[in-house]
Amino acid sequence: MQKIYFLSGTMCNQELWQFVFPKIKNYIPEYIDITSASSFDEINHLILSKISSPAIIVGFSLGGFSALNFARQFPEKIKKLVIIAASSKGLSENEIRLRKSTIDFLETHPYKGISNTRIKQFLHSKNQQNNKLINIIKKMDVDLGKKTLIKQLKATSKRIDITKSIKNLTNPILLVSSKEDAIVSNKDILDLNEALKYSFSVVIKNSGHMIPIEKPNELSEIINNYLNEF
């Protein structure tokens, strides 16, 4: 069977896909770890070293942006993309300043782990007291640790708007978003769908940013339908 490759977001590892992988049909899911990369160029090299092209890549959040960025530079290596809760836009000046202050703080203070307040921003209001989901996010954060967080923040802060440069991609692209995502604007993803020539958009309800663990059954069904029907 053909492989399908998965990329996670900031401070996320393979645990993000623990409920999705068992439900993927007719393909072998393989996780590509991009947490060691110090730049988007390094992320591209990691992807190139792992895939058999033309490849199907599923990317979440930072992993989604990374998949789009890879596709614009190596379109011949891509068969299909599934982009989950990710925008093609660059970071705002406010977000860049926030990241810089976070990096400065982390480099001079001990890291106590992701806070409950921050976790709530990633989850839908209905899931903010769900200890199973909260513990998954906390475990990924602990497993990756302070050094990875600093590296990822530095590596991905120079995130330019790549929308114009991917408008002419001919690869089929499925965009999955949530109306209640407090991290990535659903409008940004719908705007991206309008900009792309060969994209499909699916909006999931009652989920926050963490779609792979909040709505794994629905997400798996969407991915399976896309892979096996298009």
Side-chain angles (χ1 to χ4, degrees), residues 125-142:
S125 57
K126 293 182 178 179
N127 293 323
Q128 290 177 355
Q129 305 302 322
N130 187 321
N131 288 327
K132 184 177 182 179
L133 301 184
I134 290 170
N135 288 335
I136 290 172
I137 296 172
K138 285 187 173 182
K139 185 178 186 301
M140 291 191 294
D141 183 72
V142 169

Side-chain angles (χ1 to χ4, degrees), residues 76-196:
E76 74 283 357
K77 301 289 186 180
I78 296 295
K79 182 177 181 181
K80 293 180 179 179
L81 292 176
V82 180
I83 308 300
I84 305 162
S87 167
S88 59
K89 295 182 178 179
L91 299 177
S92 67
E93 291 185 6
N94 184 58
E95 176 66 19
I96 292 171
R97 283 195 298 269
L98 179 61
R99 282 173 173 242
K100 185 178 185 305
S101 65
T102 301
I103 292 168
D104 290 343
F105 180 85
L106 288 171
E107 289 183 330
T108 56
H109 295 77
Y111 180 53
K112 298 179 181 179
I114 187 169
S115 68
N116 288 331
T117 300
R118 181 60 172 163
I119 289 174
K120 287 182 178 180
Q121 294 176 343
F122 286 100
L123 296 172
H124 188 272
S125 57
K126 293 182 178 179
N127 293 323
Q128 290 177 355
Q129 305 302 322
N130 187 321
N131 288 327
K132 184 177 182 179
L133 301 184
I134 290 170
N135 288 335
I136 290 172
I137 296 172
K138 285 187 173 182
K139 185 178 186 301
M140 291 191 294
D141 183 72
V142 169
D143 288 347
L144 292 171
K146 175 180 174 178
K147 288 184 179 179
T148 298
L149 176 56
I150 293 173
K151 177 179 283 189
Q152 285 197 308
L153 289 176
K154 286 183 175 179
T156 61
S157 288
K158 295 179 180 178
R159 192 183 308 183
I160 62 170
D161 189 331
I162 61 172
T163 307
K164 289 184 178 179
S165 60
I166 62 175
K167 287 176 69 173
N168 293 321
L169 284 175
T170 58
N171 317 89
I173 301 173
L174 172 63
L175 304 173
V176 182
S177 63
S178 167
K179 285 185 177 180
E180 293 87 5
D181 189 338
I183 305 298
V184 176
S185 166
N186 184 55
K187 183 180 183 302
D188 285 353
I189 300 175
L190 295 179
D191 287 346
L192 176 59
N193 186 48
E194 288 293 320
L196 294 169

